[in-house]
Amino acid sequence: MSKIFVVGLGPGNIDDLTLGAIRRMEGGKPNYIRTERHPAVEYMKEKGIEYTAFDHIYDNEESFEKVYEQIVSKLLAAVKIQGEINYFVPGNPMVAENTVKMLLSQSVCQVQIVSGMSFIEPVLETVKADPVDGLKVIDAIGLEAAKVDINSHQIFTQVYNARVMSETKLVLMDIFPPDYDVTLIHNGGMGDREVIERIPLHEIDRSDNIGSLTSLFVPKVDKNVQRIYDFNDIQAIMKKLRAEDGCPWDREQDHFSIRGAVLEEAYELVEAIEEDDPDHVVEELGDLLLQVVFHAQIGHENGDFNPVQVTSSLANKLITRHPHVFFEKNVDNSDEVVYNWNKIKYANRNITRLSEKLRNVPRLPALLRSNKVQEKAAEVGFDWDMIEGPADKVSEELKEVLEAASTHGSGSLVVESEIGDLLFAAVNLSRFLEVNPEVALGRTIEKFTKRLEEMEYMADGMGIVMEEMTLEELDSLWDRVKLQENGDNQD
């Protein structure tokens, strides 16, 4: 079977060439080089070793992916004819070399790696960092924040021009402060040609030395200096709080004892969102996340599940319930997205009947739950066609409440039942008008509270105690507040 020897040229210095690399160069087999832009190629020129380079492909293709595909295609065509060839790449063949990954995934010929020093070693020597403390090597092309790890040293490759460096900076500055100390290493491991720049993060795209042999080193966060934490840190903190030498209160809690806090924190988050206060939203999101981490840690300690199972369950749900994103399935609008989500959810839970769907609605606050139940009924067509239907139903139920109160008296179970029917009808009207009844009622409560507060201020200004005012006087005060409120809204 034909064979390709993939040979590492090291980071750049000719002294870093391995004996194995030199033997392959001088062995008489056809030599191919991904790029001539590497100092070790000078050795081949000095020795008169013939080779074929692929630099011209970079100029003719519009993307790196196309470049790599072209190179691999030419290598496979060459080895088919020549039986055995050498393919030389910068650094170590197994570090940040996409063409090597592609060669290893094919079955046309054998591939053997001849190792070499990667660019990683010179970078670590320059910044004096130990990879045992945590190290990630990340391709900066198309960088996403999810790939960044604040608890590991990071080396970013492919930062070969100011544009890529600027895009990388923008992603990192969403996580790290602008003055975070980082290091640019240009021509790492190449002796006199090596250039080191220790600069703040916000300046990395201003360097005049950026080129194809540039790497960016971002050190792990020192928590004693920068108070930056990620999800793993929160899990570690919660584990510490629940440990024997942790907090007695946290250690005593179980799923049941803190279950109410989940609802409380969720409502406080909703309140922060309605206030349109980003800082408050951040705080309340953290409080709600605390409940997730707290329950996950309790479950782990009980041997019921671990945090990775929680995140995996969520990830799998997001993927399987969005086939239009992760699989080939088209949807026309957001309504169809919601329909497919529910359809997949019911299939996973083996729910087929309407009654089962209604029972599957969680025990939310009554307004929210009634809204959900009505949505399920509407899915099978049990719904009004026109707004007059739910509107007339509200009037009908109000009449029945008054009749029940007249016949059975206040506080009776019959009146309670009719009040429930009235509220259910009001929720139906709200749903028909595409208004969340829980949110609507919450806003009204807030409005009512503010109006009473204004009434109290007015009464204080008049030297009157509200408790001593007649109903007519209170109504008059209420009307004055409403009038003032309407005037402010017009302004």
Side-chain angles (χ1 to χ4, degrees):
M1 191 176 188
S2 54
K3 192 171 190 178
I4 298 177
F5 285 84
V6 182
V7 186
L9 292 173
N13 197 321
I14 293 178
D15 293 338
D16 292 330
L17 282 173
T18 66
L19 184 58
I22 294 173
R23 284 175 176 167
R24 293 309 308 177
M25 289 179 187
E26 300 175 347
K29 297 298 181 180
N31 296 316
Y32 294 85
I33 299 177
R34 179 167 69 77
T35 176
E36 281 188 298
R37 299 167 187 169
H38 191 281
V41 176
E42 294 299 321
Y43 177 86
M44 300 179 76
K45 292 180 178 179
E46 292 174 5
K47 297 295 183 179
I49 299 172
E50 295 184 357
Y51 61 83
T52 299
F54 294 121
D55 292 87
H56 64 282
I57 298 179
Y58 287 86
D59 300 326
N60 298 329
E61 293 293 348
E62 58 187 24
S63 69
F64 281 109
E65 186 176 352
K66 293 290 186 182
V67 169
Y68 301 147
E69 289 176 356
Q70 278 272 13
I71 292 175
V72 171
S73 177
K74 290 184 178 298
L75 288 171
L76 294 178
V79 76
K80 184 177 180 180
I81 297 172
Q82 296 162 328
E84 182 180 309
I85 63 173
N86 299 317
Y87 173 48
F88 294 89
V89 297
N92 185 303
M94 295 306 298
V95 178
E97 276 295 335
N98 287 325
T99 55
V100 177
K101 291 180 183 178
M102 296 169 70
L103 285 172
L104 291 172
S105 66
Q106 56 79 41
S107 58
V108 175
C109 67
Q110 293 181 346
V111 176
Q112 182 170 328
I113 303 296
V114 180
S115 190
M117 182 187 292
S118 75
F119 68 92
I120 297 174
E121 288 87 344
V123 170
L124 293 177
E125 291 170 6
T126 297
V127 298
K128 295 178 174 56
D130 190 339
V132 171
D133 295 331
L135 176 67
K136 289 186 70 173
V137 181
I138 304 173
D139 188 341
I141 302 297
L143 179 65
E144 297 178 353
K147 294 182 179 179
V148 179
D149 183 358
I150 64 172
N151 292 312
S152 294
H153 298 310
Q154 296 166 98
I155 299 174
F156 293 89
T157 69
Q158 300 272 47
V159 282
Y160 53 82
N161 61 31
R163 178 185 61 81
V164 176
M165 192 71 80
S166 179
E167 292 171 353
T168 302
K169 179 184 78 172
L170 292 176
V171 174
L172 294 178
M173 282 180 58
D174 273 343
I175 302 169
F176 301 93
D179 60 350
Y180 197 76
D181 291 329
V182 301
T183 305
L184 288 176
I185 301 94
H186 312 279
N187 306 316
M190 294 173 61
D192 295 339
R193 296 180 58 184
E194 184 178 75
V195 178
I196 308 299
E197 295 182 271
R198 292 180 173 86
I199 55 179
L201 176 60
H202 68 90
E203 295 183 4
I204 61 175
D205 54 346
R206 303 176 193 172
S207 171
D208 295 327
N209 301 302
I210 298 172
S212 59
L213 296 179
T214 295
S215 298
L216 167 65
F217 178 80
V218 179
K220 65 188 295 185
V221 171
D222 182 349
K223 300 297 194 295
N224 294 318
V225 178
Q226 301 285 351
R227 299 296 186 181
I228 305 174
Y229 302 90
D230 64 9
F231 186 72
N232 291 325
D233 291 318
I234 302 303
Q235 287 182 294
I237 291 170
M238 178 52 64
K239 183 177 180 180
K240 173 66 175 176
L241 291 174
R242 295 273 298 176
E244 288 298 322
D245 58 345
C247 171
W249 184 89
D250 288 288
R251 193 168 57 247
E252 290 172 359
Q253 304 313 306
D254 56 26
H255 288 307
F256 194 83
S257 68
I258 60 172
R259 71 193 189 285
V262 178
L263 287 174
E264 181 180 336
E265 299 300 349
Y267 276 103
E268 289 183 6
L269 172 59
V270 171
E271 181 179 343
I273 292 172
E274 291 177 345
E275 291 173 353
D276 195 22
D277 183 344
D279 291 336
H280 194 191
V281 171
V282 167
E283 179 186 355
E284 296 303 337
L285 279 171
D287 290 347
L288 189 56
L289 178 60
L290 166 62
Q291 301 308 312
V292 176
V293 174
F294 211 148
H295 283 282
Q297 180 61 29
I298 292 172
H300 192 197
E301 293 169 0
N302 293 344
D304 298 329
F305 54 84
N306 60 55
V308 175
Q309 286 176 281
V310 175
T311 53
S312 297
S313 174
L314 172 58
N316 286 319
K317 179 183 295 185
L318 291 173
I319 292 170
T320 57
R321 296 190 186 178
H322 290 86
H324 55 289
V325 176
F326 298 99
F327 309 104
E328 293 185 6
K329 182 176 177 63
N330 296 323
V331 294
D332 296 327
N333 51 54
S334 58
D335 289 339
E336 189 175 350
V337 170
V338 175
Y339 174 78
N340 287 336
W341 173 282
N342 289 330
K343 185 177 180 181
I344 296 169
K345 177 178 71 174
Y346 295 144
N348 291 340
R349 298 179 181 178
N350 197 29
I351 293 175
T352 57
R353 297 174 59 81
L354 174 61
S355 57
E356 293 174 327
K357 295 177 183 179
L358 299 183
R359 293 296 180 190
N360 192 247
V361 174
R363 285 186 294 175
L364 298 165
L367 285 178
L368 282 177
R369 191 179 183 197
S370 59
N371 193 61
K372 288 284 187 182
V373 166
Q374 291 170 13
E375 286 178 349
K376 302 308 172 189
E379 288 178 1
V380 297
F382 190 58
D383 201 6
W384 301 101
D385 294 324
M386 304 290 290
I387 192 172
E388 288 77 12
D392 290 344
K393 191 65 176 174
V394 171
S395 299
E396 176 188 327
E397 296 298 346
L398 175 59
K399 182 179 179 181
E400 292 182 6
V401 167
L402 298 177
E403 290 175 352
S406 176
T407 303
H408 300 280
S410 301
S412 68
L413 290 177
V414 176
V415 172
E416 179 184 279
S417 176
E418 295 299 342
I419 286 287
D421 291 346
L422 174 60
L423 291 173
F424 196 78
V427 169
N428 207 8
L429 178 61
S430 173
R431 181 185 59 82
F432 200 90
L433 294 172
E434 298 182 0
V435 170
N436 185 310
E438 187 78 23
V439 173
L441 182 58
R443 291 183 63 183
T444 296
I445 294 169
E446 182 64 22
K447 179 170 61 177
F448 181 79
T449 302
K450 286 183 177 179
R451 286 179 179 174
L452 285 180
E453 186 177 34
E454 288 299 320
M455 288 172 62
E456 198 169 39
Y457 286 145
M458 284 185 179
D460 289 343
M462 297 163 58
I464 303 174
V465 179
M466 285 183 63
E467 288 83 353
E468 299 176 357
M469 297 175 71
T470 66
L471 179 58
E472 289 76 14
E473 290 172 330
L474 289 171
D475 281 340
S476 176
L477 208 56
W478 175 269
D479 290 338
R480 287 179 60 185
V481 170
K482 282 185 64 177
L483 186 63
Q484 176 181 296
E485 184 180 281
N486 292 333
D488 291 341
N489 290 338
Q490 289 175 0
D491 292 340

